[in-house]
């Protein structure tokens, strides 16, 4: 169990695109524990907590830090760090350089990469990966963070006020997630997994799609030559997807398809205008990025709402790093859940969006 493990306590989630690393920084060690804290352990603590960037690609999300939480009898701060999975070599080098490996013989790890990189960790830096199931970790992590998060007085879980208002700013409305079951969890990472969660120990994966965050980012790189996810979102923020998509009104005229209640503004065919040279010329990089974001988001929304309706569940919780810095998709999902269920289903979001698997890994098998 975690308790028996000596410090440092880490949780690692090695995903298809990003590695999420959660680090527990113990506070108020007893004098005895202080004395026992080896110099190299102090160095690790100092290195991780005094920097906000590691190498050129590692980032600590300081706004997500959970201060002064209780974990297995210790008080401490929980830190949230991420870096691209294709930089794993750099991470391993750091583990060696900063002498992590002299203290750690096992990382609690989840995500597909805990399988893919297991052998490499072992042979190159002599660290074992204790592989934990990613859905188990995700659900555990959600539970733990919701209970321990006091986002400076703000709620970890929130819904979105008036999602039908077009502007991209969102107003968060706190949601009490203490008794959430049953809910549908939609994890939008590189791909998408949709789970039915009946209780902390009773859940299953019900569906998913390969058209996920990786698809948005990949296609956006191809079509707009953008370099980073943050740039892709920035482009989309200034785009108009109706220059790219074919709307019902483009086919029926302004009245729409009234017989079946399809308004003219509804998308009839995503990217449907792009077969025309004239429309291609008019569409900017921004327009294309926005259309991609809307296409991918609405497709996920449609799967999510169907899953929720099929299982008679009212709460749909969206997580995963696709939602990072992405209020456009949050608003679209909130609107779609409300609209397609006539108001009976609610889209919920969590502040620590992509980190729950890593938190679950940190908790290991104890909580
Ligand atoms: P995975 O576990 O599959 O890596 P994540 O939940 O970490 O999944 O989400 C990965 C997705 O998050 C990417 O496909 C992309 O859409 C989005 N994303 C958000 N921030 C970044 C970033 N800094 N770099 C790359 N992708 C990002």
């Amino acid at each position: 169990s975690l308790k028996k493990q000596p410090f440092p306590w880490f949780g690692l989630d090695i995903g298809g695109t990003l590695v999420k690393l959660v680090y527990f920084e113990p506070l108020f060690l007893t004098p005895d524990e202080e004395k026992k804290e080896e110099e190299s352990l102090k160095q690790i603590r100092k290195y991780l907590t005094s920097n906000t960037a590691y190498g050129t690609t590692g980032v600590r999300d300081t706004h997500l830090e959970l201060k002064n939480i209780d974990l297995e009898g210790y008080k401490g701060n929980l830190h949230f760090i991420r870096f691209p999975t294709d930089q794993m070599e750099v991470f391993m080098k750091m583990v060696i350089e900063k002498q992590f490996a002299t203290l750690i013989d096992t990382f609690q790890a989840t995500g597909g990469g805990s399988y893919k990189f297991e052998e490499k960790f072992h042979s190159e830096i002599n660290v074992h990966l204790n592989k934990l199931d990613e859905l188990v970790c995700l659900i555990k992590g959600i539970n733990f963070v919701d209970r321990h998060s006091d986002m400076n007085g703000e709620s970890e879980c929130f819904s979105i006020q008036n999602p039908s208002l077009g502007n991209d700013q969102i107003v968060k409305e706190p949601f009490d997630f203490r008794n959430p079951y049953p809910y549908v969890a939609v994890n939008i990472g590189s791909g998408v997994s949709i789970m039915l969660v009946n209780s902390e120990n009773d859940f299953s994966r019900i569906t998913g799609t390969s058209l996920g965050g990786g698809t948005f980012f990949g296609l956006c790189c191809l079509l707009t030559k953008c370099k980073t996810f943050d740039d892709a979102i920035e482009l989309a923020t200034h785009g108009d997807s109706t220059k790219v998509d074919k709307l019902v009104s483009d086919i029926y005229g302004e009245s729409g398809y009234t017989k079946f209640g399809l308004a003219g503004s509804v998308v009839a065919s995503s990217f449907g205008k792009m077969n025309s040279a004239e429309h291609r010329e008019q569409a900017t990089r921004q327009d294309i990025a926005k259309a991609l974001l809307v296409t991918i988001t609405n497709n996920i929304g449609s799967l999510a709402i169907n899953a929720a309706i099929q299982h008679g569940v009212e709460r749909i919780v969206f997580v995963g790093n696709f939602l990072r810095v992405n209020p456009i998709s949050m608003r679209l999902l909130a609107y779609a859940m409300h609209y397609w269920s006539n108001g009976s289903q609610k889209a919920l979001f969590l502040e620590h969006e992509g980190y729950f698997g890593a938190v679950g890994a940190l908790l290991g098998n104890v909580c």
Side-chain angles (χ1 to χ4, degrees), residues 13 15-18 20 82 187-191 213-214 216-217 229-230 320-322 324 354:
D13 177 3
T17 307
L18 294 172
K20 281 74 66 178
R82 63 183 152 88
N187 188 18
I188 317 179
S190 310
F216 163 70
F217 187 26
F229 179 79
D230 296 59
N321 277 318
F322 175 65
R324 238 196 90 241

mmCIF file with all atom_site columns, all heavy atoms in Angstrom, residues 13 15-18 20 82 187-191 213-214 216-217 229-230 320-322 324 354, ligand 1:
data_model
loop_
_atom_site.group_PDB
_atom_site.id
_atom_site.type_symbol
_atom_site.label_atom_id
_atom_site.label_alt_id
_atom_site.label_comp_id
_atom_site.label_asym_id
_atom_site.label_entity_id
_atom_site.label_seq_id
_atom_site.pdbx_PDB_ins_code
_atom_site.Cartn_x
_atom_site.Cartn_y
_atom_site.Cartn_z
_atom_site.occupancy
_atom_site.B_iso_or_equiv
_atom_site.pdbx_formal_charge
_atom_site.auth_seq_id
_atom_site.auth_comp_id
_atom_site.auth_asym_id
_atom_site.auth_atom_id
_atom_site.pdbx_PDB_model_num
ATOM   1   N N   . ASP A 1 13  ? 0.505   9.043  -15.298 1.00 0.00 ? 13  ASP A N   1
ATOM   2   C CA  . ASP A 1 13  ? -0.467  8.596  -16.302 1.00 0.00 ? 13  ASP A CA  1
ATOM   3   C C   . ASP A 1 13  ? 0.143   8.864  -17.669 1.00 0.00 ? 13  ASP A C   1
ATOM   4   O O   . ASP A 1 13  ? 0.285   10.019 -18.082 1.00 0.00 ? 13  ASP A O   1
ATOM   5   C CB  . ASP A 1 13  ? -1.789  9.371  -16.118 1.00 0.00 ? 13  ASP A CB  1
ATOM   6   C CG  . ASP A 1 13  ? -2.828  9.004  -17.181 1.00 0.00 ? 13  ASP A CG  1
ATOM   7   O OD1 . ASP A 1 13  ? -2.564  8.116  -18.016 1.00 0.00 ? 13  ASP A OD1 1
ATOM   8   O OD2 . ASP A 1 13  ? -3.916  9.617  -17.164 1.00 0.00 ? 13  ASP A OD2 1
ATOM   9   N N   . GLY A 1 15  ? -0.238  8.846  -21.294 1.00 0.00 ? 15  GLY A N   1
ATOM   10  C CA  . GLY A 1 15  ? -1.270  8.792  -22.318 1.00 0.00 ? 15  GLY A CA  1
ATOM   11  C C   . GLY A 1 15  ? -0.708  8.778  -23.723 1.00 0.00 ? 15  GLY A C   1
ATOM   12  O O   . GLY A 1 15  ? 0.508   8.775  -23.924 1.00 0.00 ? 15  GLY A O   1
ATOM   13  N N   . GLY A 1 16  ? -1.587  8.787  -24.692 1.00 0.00 ? 16  GLY A N   1
ATOM   14  C CA  . GLY A 1 16  ? -1.196  8.767  -26.096 1.00 0.00 ? 16  GLY A CA  1
ATOM   15  C C   . GLY A 1 16  ? -0.540  10.067 -26.531 1.00 0.00 ? 16  GLY A C   1
ATOM   16  O O   . GLY A 1 16  ? 0.247   10.087 -27.484 1.00 0.00 ? 16  GLY A O   1
ATOM   17  N N   . THR A 1 17  ? -0.866  11.156 -25.845 1.00 0.00 ? 17  THR A N   1
ATOM   18  C CA  . THR A 1 17  ? -0.309  12.457 -26.221 1.00 0.00 ? 17  THR A CA  1
ATOM   19  C C   . THR A 1 17  ? 0.486   13.090 -25.083 1.00 0.00 ? 17  THR A C   1
ATOM   20  O O   . THR A 1 17  ? 1.581   13.589 -25.292 1.00 0.00 ? 17  THR A O   1
ATOM   21  C CB  . THR A 1 17  ? -1.442  13.441 -26.604 1.00 0.00 ? 17  THR A CB  1
ATOM   22  O OG1 . THR A 1 17  ? -2.274  12.824 -27.598 1.00 0.00 ? 17  THR A OG1 1
ATOM   23  C CG2 . THR A 1 17  ? -0.872  14.740 -27.169 1.00 0.00 ? 17  THR A CG2 1
ATOM   24  N N   . LEU A 1 18  ? -0.069  13.038 -23.879 1.00 0.00 ? 18  LEU A N   1
ATOM   25  C CA  . LEU A 1 18  ? 0.547   13.722 -22.743 1.00 0.00 ? 18  LEU A CA  1
ATOM   26  C C   . LEU A 1 18  ? 0.801   12.764 -21.586 1.00 0.00 ? 18  LEU A C   1
ATOM   27  O O   . LEU A 1 18  ? -0.009  11.858 -21.322 1.00 0.00 ? 18  LEU A O   1
ATOM   28  C CB  . LEU A 1 18  ? -0.372  14.853 -22.244 1.00 0.00 ? 18  LEU A CB  1
ATOM   29  C CG  . LEU A 1 18  ? -0.606  16.035 -23.196 1.00 0.00 ? 18  LEU A CG  1
ATOM   30  C CD1 . LEU A 1 18  ? -1.685  16.963 -22.640 1.00 0.00 ? 18  LEU A CD1 1
ATOM   31  C CD2 . LEU A 1 18  ? 0.688   16.811 -23.425 1.00 0.00 ? 18  LEU A CD2 1
ATOM   32  N N   . LYS A 1 20  ? 0.962   12.735 -17.594 1.00 0.00 ? 20  LYS A N   1
ATOM   33  C CA  . LYS A 1 20  ? 0.526   13.509 -16.438 1.00 0.00 ? 20  LYS A CA  1
ATOM   34  C C   . LYS A 1 20  ? 1.228   12.953 -15.213 1.00 0.00 ? 20  LYS A C   1
ATOM   35  O O   . LYS A 1 20  ? 1.194   11.745 -14.978 1.00 0.00 ? 20  LYS A O   1
ATOM   36  C CB  . LYS A 1 20  ? -0.997  13.408 -16.262 1.00 0.00 ? 20  LYS A CB  1
ATOM   37  C CG  . LYS A 1 20  ? -1.797  14.306 -17.203 1.00 0.00 ? 20  LYS A CG  1
ATOM   38  C CD  . LYS A 1 20  ? -1.850  13.857 -18.654 1.00 0.00 ? 20  LYS A CD  1
ATOM   39  C CE  . LYS A 1 20  ? -2.593  12.556 -18.857 1.00 0.00 ? 20  LYS A CE  1
ATOM   40  N NZ  . LYS A 1 20  ? -2.660  12.201 -20.319 1.00 0.00 ? 20  LYS A NZ  1
ATOM   41  N N   . ARG A 1 82  ? 2.756   18.161 -16.423 1.00 0.00 ? 82  ARG A N   1
ATOM   42  C CA  . ARG A 1 82  ? 2.514   17.431 -17.678 1.00 0.00 ? 82  ARG A CA  1
ATOM   43  C C   . ARG A 1 82  ? 3.639   17.688 -18.668 1.00 0.00 ? 82  ARG A C   1
ATOM   44  O O   . ARG A 1 82  ? 4.301   18.732 -18.625 1.00 0.00 ? 82  ARG A O   1
ATOM   45  C CB  . ARG A 1 82  ? 1.175   17.856 -18.295 1.00 0.00 ? 82  ARG A CB  1
ATOM   46  C CG  . ARG A 1 82  ? 1.125   19.309 -18.678 1.00 0.00 ? 82  ARG A CG  1
ATOM   47  C CD  . ARG A 1 82  ? -0.234  19.728 -19.231 1.00 0.00 ? 82  ARG A CD  1
ATOM   48  N NE  . ARG A 1 82  ? -0.472  21.138 -18.960 1.00 0.00 ? 82  ARG A NE  1
ATOM   49  C CZ  . ARG A 1 82  ? -0.090  22.136 -19.754 1.00 0.00 ? 82  ARG A CZ  1
ATOM   50  N NH1 . ARG A 1 82  ? 0.567   21.871 -20.872 1.00 0.00 ? 82  ARG A NH1 1
ATOM   51  N NH2 . ARG A 1 82  ? -0.338  23.386 -19.438 1.00 0.00 ? 82  ARG A NH2 1
ATOM   52  N N   . ASN A 1 187 ? -14.299 10.743 -21.197 1.00 0.00 ? 187 ASN A N   1
ATOM   53  C CA  . ASN A 1 187 ? -12.895 11.141 -21.121 1.00 0.00 ? 187 ASN A CA  1
ATOM   54  C C   . ASN A 1 187 ? -12.383 11.475 -22.514 1.00 0.00 ? 187 ASN A C   1
ATOM   55  O O   . ASN A 1 187 ? -12.222 10.584 -23.351 1.00 0.00 ? 187 ASN A O   1
ATOM   56  C CB  . ASN A 1 187 ? -12.076 10.008 -20.484 1.00 0.00 ? 187 ASN A CB  1
ATOM   57  C CG  . ASN A 1 187 ? -10.642 10.426 -20.194 1.00 0.00 ? 187 ASN A CG  1
ATOM   58  O OD1 . ASN A 1 187 ? -10.333 11.629 -20.155 1.00 0.00 ? 187 ASN A OD1 1
ATOM   59  N ND2 . ASN A 1 187 ? -9.765  9.459  -20.015 1.00 0.00 ? 187 ASN A ND2 1
ATOM   60  N N   . ILE A 1 188 ? -12.164 12.762 -22.773 1.00 0.00 ? 188 ILE A N   1
ATOM   61  C CA  . ILE A 1 188 ? -11.731 13.193 -24.105 1.00 0.00 ? 188 ILE A CA  1
ATOM   62  C C   . ILE A 1 188 ? -10.237 13.458 -24.083 1.00 0.00 ? 188 ILE A C   1
ATOM   63  O O   . ILE A 1 188 ? -9.779  14.531 -23.702 1.00 0.00 ? 188 ILE A O   1
ATOM   64  C CB  . ILE A 1 188 ? -12.487 14.459 -24.572 1.00 0.00 ? 188 ILE A CB  1
ATOM   65  C CG1 . ILE A 1 188 ? -13.984 14.363 -24.243 1.00 0.00 ? 188 ILE A CG1 1
ATOM   66  C CG2 . ILE A 1 188 ? -12.261 14.650 -26.072 1.00 0.00 ? 188 ILE A CG2 1
ATOM   67  C CD1 . ILE A 1 188 ? -14.786 15.587 -24.662 1.00 0.00 ? 188 ILE A CD1 1
ATOM   68  N N   . GLY A 1 189 ? -9.482  12.412 -24.402 1.00 0.00 ? 189 GLY A N   1
ATOM   69  C CA  . GLY A 1 189 ? -8.034  12.528 -24.514 1.00 0.00 ? 189 GLY A CA  1
ATOM   70  C C   . GLY A 1 189 ? -7.675  12.499 -25.984 1.00 0.00 ? 189 GLY A C   1
ATOM   71  O O   . GLY A 1 189 ? -8.346  13.140 -26.800 1.00 0.00 ? 189 GLY A O   1
ATOM   72  N N   . SER A 1 190 ? -6.636  11.735 -26.338 1.00 0.00 ? 190 SER A N   1
ATOM   73  C CA  . SER A 1 190 ? -6.312  11.548 -27.755 1.00 0.00 ? 190 SER A CA  1
ATOM   74  C C   . SER A 1 190 ? -7.518  10.933 -28.448 1.00 0.00 ? 190 SER A C   1
ATOM   75  O O   . SER A 1 190 ? -7.962  11.384 -29.502 1.00 0.00 ? 190 SER A O   1
ATOM   76  C CB  . SER A 1 190 ? -5.111  10.620 -27.897 1.00 0.00 ? 190 SER A CB  1
ATOM   77  O OG  . SER A 1 190 ? -4.059  11.026 -27.071 1.00 0.00 ? 190 SER A OG  1
ATOM   78  N N   . GLY A 1 191 ? -8.047  9.862  -27.859 1.00 0.00 ? 191 GLY A N   1
ATOM   79  C CA  . GLY A 1 191 ? -9.320  9.279  -28.274 1.00 0.00 ? 191 GLY A CA  1
ATOM   80  C C   . GLY A 1 191 ? -10.341 9.521  -27.176 1.00 0.00 ? 191 GLY A C   1
ATOM   81  O O   . GLY A 1 191 ? -10.064 10.231 -26.216 1.00 0.00 ? 191 GLY A O   1
ATOM   82  N N   . GLY A 1 213 ? -9.572  14.209 -29.129 1.00 0.00 ? 213 GLY A N   1
ATOM   83  C CA  . GLY A 1 213 ? -8.704  15.381 -29.053 1.00 0.00 ? 213 GLY A CA  1
ATOM   84  C C   . GLY A 1 213 ? -7.514  15.270 -29.992 1.00 0.00 ? 213 GLY A C   1
ATOM   85  O O   . GLY A 1 213 ? -7.066  16.267 -30.563 1.00 0.00 ? 213 GLY A O   1
ATOM   86  N N   . GLY A 1 214 ? -7.019  14.055 -30.164 1.00 0.00 ? 214 GLY A N   1
ATOM   87  C CA  . GLY A 1 214 ? -5.896  13.836 -31.072 1.00 0.00 ? 214 GLY A CA  1
ATOM   88  C C   . GLY A 1 214 ? -6.281  14.105 -32.514 1.00 0.00 ? 214 GLY A C   1
ATOM   89  O O   . GLY A 1 214 ? -5.463  14.567 -33.323 1.00 0.00 ? 214 GLY A O   1
ATOM   90  N N   . PHE A 1 216 ? -8.690  16.260 -33.502 1.00 0.00 ? 216 PHE A N   1
ATOM   91  C CA  . PHE A 1 216 ? -8.781  17.717 -33.653 1.00 0.00 ? 216 PHE A CA  1
ATOM   92  C C   . PHE A 1 216 ? -7.389  18.319 -33.837 1.00 0.00 ? 216 PHE A C   1
ATOM   93  O O   . PHE A 1 216 ? -7.129  19.071 -34.787 1.00 0.00 ? 216 PHE A O   1
ATOM   94  C CB  . PHE A 1 216 ? -9.463  18.363 -32.441 1.00 0.00 ? 216 PHE A CB  1
ATOM   95  C CG  . PHE A 1 216 ? -9.220  19.841 -32.368 1.00 0.00 ? 216 PHE A CG  1
ATOM   96  C CD1 . PHE A 1 216 ? -9.797  20.707 -33.296 1.00 0.00 ? 216 PHE A CD1 1
ATOM   97  C CD2 . PHE A 1 216 ? -8.368  20.371 -31.399 1.00 0.00 ? 216 PHE A CD2 1
ATOM   98  C CE1 . PHE A 1 216 ? -9.532  22.074 -33.259 1.00 0.00 ? 216 PHE A CE1 1
ATOM   99  C CE2 . PHE A 1 216 ? -8.102  21.733 -31.365 1.00 0.00 ? 216 PHE A CE2 1
ATOM   100 C CZ  . PHE A 1 216 ? -8.684  22.583 -32.296 1.00 0.00 ? 216 PHE A CZ  1
ATOM   101 N N   . PHE A 1 217 ? -6.483  17.966 -32.934 1.00 0.00 ? 217 PHE A N   1
ATOM   102 C CA  . PHE A 1 217 ? -5.154  18.565 -32.958 1.00 0.00 ? 217 PHE A CA  1
ATOM   103 C C   . PHE A 1 217 ? -4.399  18.145 -34.229 1.00 0.00 ? 217 PHE A C   1
ATOM   104 O O   . PHE A 1 217 ? -3.797  18.977 -34.916 1.00 0.00 ? 217 PHE A O   1
ATOM   105 C CB  . PHE A 1 217 ? -4.401  18.172 -31.676 1.00 0.00 ? 217 PHE A CB  1
ATOM   106 C CG  . PHE A 1 217 ? -3.075  18.845 -31.488 1.00 0.00 ? 217 PHE A CG  1
ATOM   107 C CD1 . PHE A 1 217 ? -2.798  20.080 -32.062 1.00 0.00 ? 217 PHE A CD1 1
ATOM   108 C CD2 . PHE A 1 217 ? -2.094  18.225 -30.704 1.00 0.00 ? 217 PHE A CD2 1
ATOM   109 C CE1 . PHE A 1 217 ? -1.565  20.690 -31.865 1.00 0.00 ? 217 PHE A CE1 1
ATOM   110 C CE2 . PHE A 1 217 ? -0.861  18.839 -30.518 1.00 0.00 ? 217 PHE A CE2 1
ATOM   111 C CZ  . PHE A 1 217 ? -0.592  20.068 -31.106 1.00 0.00 ? 217 PHE A CZ  1
ATOM   112 N N   . PHE A 1 229 ? -1.271  22.895 -29.444 1.00 0.00 ? 229 PHE A N   1
ATOM   113 C CA  . PHE A 1 229 ? -2.702  22.799 -29.142 1.00 0.00 ? 229 PHE A CA  1
ATOM   114 C C   . PHE A 1 229 ? -3.245  24.171 -28.759 1.00 0.00 ? 229 PHE A C   1
ATOM   115 O O   . PHE A 1 229 ? -4.327  24.556 -29.200 1.00 0.00 ? 229 PHE A O   1
ATOM   116 C CB  . PHE A 1 229 ? -2.920  21.803 -28.006 1.00 0.00 ? 229 PHE A CB  1
ATOM   117 C CG  . PHE A 1 229 ? -4.368  21.661 -27.601 1.00 0.00 ? 229 PHE A CG  1
ATOM   118 C CD1 . PHE A 1 229 ? -5.238  20.880 -28.341 1.00 0.00 ? 229 PHE A CD1 1
ATOM   119 C CD2 . PHE A 1 229 ? -4.848  22.321 -26.479 1.00 0.00 ? 229 PHE A CD2 1
ATOM   120 C CE1 . PHE A 1 229 ? -6.572  20.754 -27.973 1.00 0.00 ? 229 PHE A CE1 1
ATOM   121 C CE2 . PHE A 1 229 ? -6.184  22.194 -26.098 1.00 0.00 ? 229 PHE A CE2 1
ATOM   122 C CZ  . PHE A 1 229 ? -7.044  21.409 -26.848 1.00 0.00 ? 229 PHE A CZ  1
ATOM   123 N N   . ASP A 1 230 ? -2.477  24.904 -27.985 1.00 0.00 ? 230 ASP A N   1
ATOM   124 C CA  . ASP A 1 230 ? -2.938  26.228 -27.559 1.00 0.00 ? 230 ASP A CA  1
ATOM   125 C C   . ASP A 1 230 ? -3.129  27.155 -28.766 1.00 0.00 ? 230 ASP A C   1
ATOM   126 O O   . ASP A 1 230 ? -4.079  27.939 -28.811 1.00 0.00 ? 230 ASP A O   1
ATOM   127 C CB  . ASP A 1 230 ? -1.965  26.841 -26.541 1.00 0.00 ? 230 ASP A CB  1
ATOM   128 C CG  . ASP A 1 230 ? -1.911  26.022 -25.247 1.00 0.00 ? 230 ASP A CG  1
ATOM   129 O OD1 . ASP A 1 230 ? -1.558  24.820 -25.332 1.00 0.00 ? 230 ASP A OD1 1
ATOM   130 O OD2 . ASP A 1 230 ? -2.244  26.556 -24.180 1.00 0.00 ? 230 ASP A OD2 1
ATOM   131 N N   . GLY A 1 320 ? -10.644 15.149 -19.413 1.00 0.00 ? 320 GLY A N   1
ATOM   132 C CA  . GLY A 1 320 ? -9.614  14.933 -20.436 1.00 0.00 ? 320 GLY A CA  1
ATOM   133 C C   . GLY A 1 320 ? -9.037  16.265 -20.903 1.00 0.00 ? 320 GLY A C   1
ATOM   134 O O   . GLY A 1 320 ? -9.682  17.302 -20.807 1.00 0.00 ? 320 GLY A O   1
ATOM   135 N N   . ASN A 1 321 ? -7.807  16.207 -21.383 1.00 0.00 ? 321 ASN A N   1
ATOM   136 C CA  . ASN A 1 321 ? -7.108  17.457 -21.705 1.00 0.00 ? 321 ASN A CA  1
ATOM   137 C C   . ASN A 1 321 ? -7.594  18.167 -22.961 1.00 0.00 ? 321 ASN A C   1
ATOM   138 O O   . ASN A 1 321 ? -7.195  19.301 -23.229 1.00 0.00 ? 321 ASN A O   1
ATOM   139 C CB  . ASN A 1 321 ? -5.602  17.213 -21.793 1.00 0.00 ? 321 ASN A CB  1
ATOM   140 C CG  . ASN A 1 321 ? -4.971  17.251 -20.425 1.00 0.00 ? 321 ASN A CG  1
ATOM   141 O OD1 . ASN A 1 321 ? -5.307  18.106 -19.602 1.00 0.00 ? 321 ASN A OD1 1
ATOM   142 N ND2 . ASN A 1 321 ? -4.070  16.316 -20.158 1.00 0.00 ? 321 ASN A ND2 1
ATOM   143 N N   . PHE A 1 322 ? -8.464  17.513 -23.737 1.00 0.00 ? 322 PHE A N   1
ATOM   144 C CA  . PHE A 1 322 ? -9.071  18.215 -24.876 1.00 0.00 ? 322 PHE A CA  1
ATOM   145 C C   . PHE A 1 322 ? -9.792  19.478 -24.384 1.00 0.00 ? 322 PHE A C   1
ATOM   146 O O   . PHE A 1 322 ? -9.902  20.464 -25.112 1.00 0.00 ? 322 PHE A O   1
ATOM   147 C CB  . PHE A 1 322 ? -10.060 17.280 -25.578 1.00 0.00 ? 322 PHE A CB  1
ATOM   148 C CG  . PHE A 1 322 ? -10.843 17.920 -26.692 1.00 0.00 ? 322 PHE A CG  1
ATOM   149 C CD1 . PHE A 1 322 ? -10.207 18.372 -27.847 1.00 0.00 ? 322 PHE A CD1 1
ATOM   150 C CD2 . PHE A 1 322 ? -12.228 18.060 -26.594 1.00 0.00 ? 322 PHE A CD2 1
ATOM   151 C CE1 . PHE A 1 322 ? -10.945 18.958 -28.885 1.00 0.00 ? 322 PHE A CE1 1
ATOM   152 C CE2 . PHE A 1 322 ? -12.968 18.641 -27.621 1.00 0.00 ? 322 PHE A CE2 1
ATOM   153 C CZ  . PHE A 1 322 ? -12.328 19.093 -28.765 1.00 0.00 ? 322 PHE A CZ  1
ATOM   154 N N   . ARG A 1 324 ? -8.783  21.415 -22.018 1.00 0.00 ? 324 ARG A N   1
ATOM   155 C CA  . ARG A 1 324 ? -7.839  22.433 -21.538 1.00 0.00 ? 324 ARG A CA  1
ATOM   156 C C   . ARG A 1 324 ? -7.967  23.702 -22.375 1.00 0.00 ? 324 ARG A C   1
ATOM   157 O O   . ARG A 1 324 ? -8.017  23.616 -23.598 1.00 0.00 ? 324 ARG A O   1
ATOM   158 C CB  . ARG A 1 324 ? -6.407  21.907 -21.679 1.00 0.00 ? 324 ARG A CB  1
ATOM   159 C CG  . ARG A 1 324 ? -5.603  21.867 -20.394 1.00 0.00 ? 324 ARG A CG  1
ATOM   160 C CD  . ARG A 1 324 ? -4.110  21.705 -20.695 1.00 0.00 ? 324 ARG A CD  1
ATOM   161 N NE  . ARG A 1 324 ? -3.516  23.004 -20.839 1.00 0.00 ? 324 ARG A NE  1
ATOM   162 C CZ  . ARG A 1 324 ? -2.920  23.438 -21.933 1.00 0.00 ? 324 ARG A CZ  1
ATOM   163 N NH1 . ARG A 1 324 ? -2.795  22.678 -22.983 1.00 0.00 ? 324 ARG A NH1 1
ATOM   164 N NH2 . ARG A 1 324 ? -2.449  24.651 -21.967 1.00 0.00 ? 324 ARG A NH2 1
ATOM   165 N N   . GLY A 1 354 ? -7.614  16.899 -16.943 1.00 0.00 ? 354 GLY A N   1
ATOM   166 C CA  . GLY A 1 354 ? -6.853  15.778 -17.502 1.00 0.00 ? 354 GLY A CA  1
ATOM   167 C C   . GLY A 1 354 ? -6.066  14.970 -16.491 1.00 0.00 ? 354 GLY A C   1
ATOM   168 O O   . GLY A 1 354 ? -5.352  14.038 -16.864 1.00 0.00 ? 354 GLY A O   1
HETATM 169 P P1  . LIG B 2 .   ? -4.006  11.134 -23.475 1.00 0.00 ? 1   LIG B P1  1
HETATM 170 O O1  . LIG B 2 .   ? -4.033  10.426 -22.149 1.00 0.00 ? 1   LIG B O1  1
HETATM 171 O O2  . LIG B 2 .   ? -4.542  10.322 -24.607 1.00 0.00 ? 1   LIG B O2  1
HETATM 172 O O3  . LIG B 2 .   ? -2.692  11.762 -23.767 1.00 0.00 ? 1   LIG B O3  1
HETATM 173 P P2  . LIG B 2 .   ? -5.197  13.677 -22.543 1.00 0.00 ? 1   LIG B P2  1
HETATM 174 O O4  . LIG B 2 .   ? -6.378  13.655 -21.642 1.00 0.00 ? 1   LIG B O4  1
HETATM 175 O O5  . LIG B 2 .   ? -3.902  14.068 -21.951 1.00 0.00 ? 1   LIG B O5  1
HETATM 176 O O6  . LIG B 2 .   ? -5.115  12.288 -23.308 1.00 0.00 ? 1   LIG B O6  1
HETATM 177 O O7  . LIG B 2 .   ? -5.578  14.630 -23.738 1.00 0.00 ? 1   LIG B O7  1
HETATM 178 C C1  . LIG B 2 .   ? -4.781  14.761 -24.907 1.00 0.00 ? 1   LIG B C1  1
HETATM 179 C C2  . LIG B 2 .   ? -5.447  15.788 -25.799 1.00 0.00 ? 1   LIG B C2  1
HETATM 180 O O8  . LIG B 2 .   ? -5.511  17.037 -25.112 1.00 0.00 ? 1   LIG B O8  1
HETATM 181 C C3  . LIG B 2 .   ? -4.732  16.081 -27.082 1.00 0.00 ? 1   LIG B C3  1
HETATM 182 O O9  . LIG B 2 .   ? -5.125  15.199 -28.110 1.00 0.00 ? 1   LIG B O9  1
HETATM 183 C C4  . LIG B 2 .   ? -5.153  17.511 -27.385 1.00 0.00 ? 1   LIG B C4  1
HETATM 184 O O10 . LIG B 2 .   ? -6.412  17.519 -28.032 1.00 0.00 ? 1   LIG B O10 1
HETATM 185 C C5  . LIG B 2 .   ? -5.362  18.110 -26.004 1.00 0.00 ? 1   LIG B C5  1
HETATM 186 N N1  . LIG B 2 .   ? -4.265  18.933 -25.473 1.00 0.00 ? 1   LIG B N1  1
HETATM 187 C C6  . LIG B 2 .   ? -4.418  19.876 -24.490 1.00 0.00 ? 1   LIG B C6  1
HETATM 188 N N2  . LIG B 2 .   ? -3.255  20.460 -24.191 1.00 0.00 ? 1   LIG B N2  1
HETATM 189 C C7  . LIG B 2 .   ? -2.312  19.899 -24.986 1.00 0.00 ? 1   LIG B C7  1
HETATM 190 C C8  . LIG B 2 .   ? -0.904  20.099 -25.131 1.00 0.00 ? 1   LIG B C8  1
HETATM 191 N N3  . LIG B 2 .   ? -0.227  21.019 -24.417 1.00 0.00 ? 1   LIG B N3  1
HETATM 192 N N4  . LIG B 2 .   ? -0.248  19.328 -26.040 1.00 0.00 ? 1   LIG B N4  1
HETATM 193 C C9  . LIG B 2 .   ? -0.901  18.418 -26.776 1.00 0.00 ? 1   LIG B C9  1
HETATM 194 N N5  . LIG B 2 .   ? -2.229  18.188 -26.676 1.00 0.00 ? 1   LIG B N5  1
HETATM 195 C C10 . LIG B 2 .   ? -2.950  18.916 -25.807 1.00 0.00 ? 1   LIG B C10 1
#
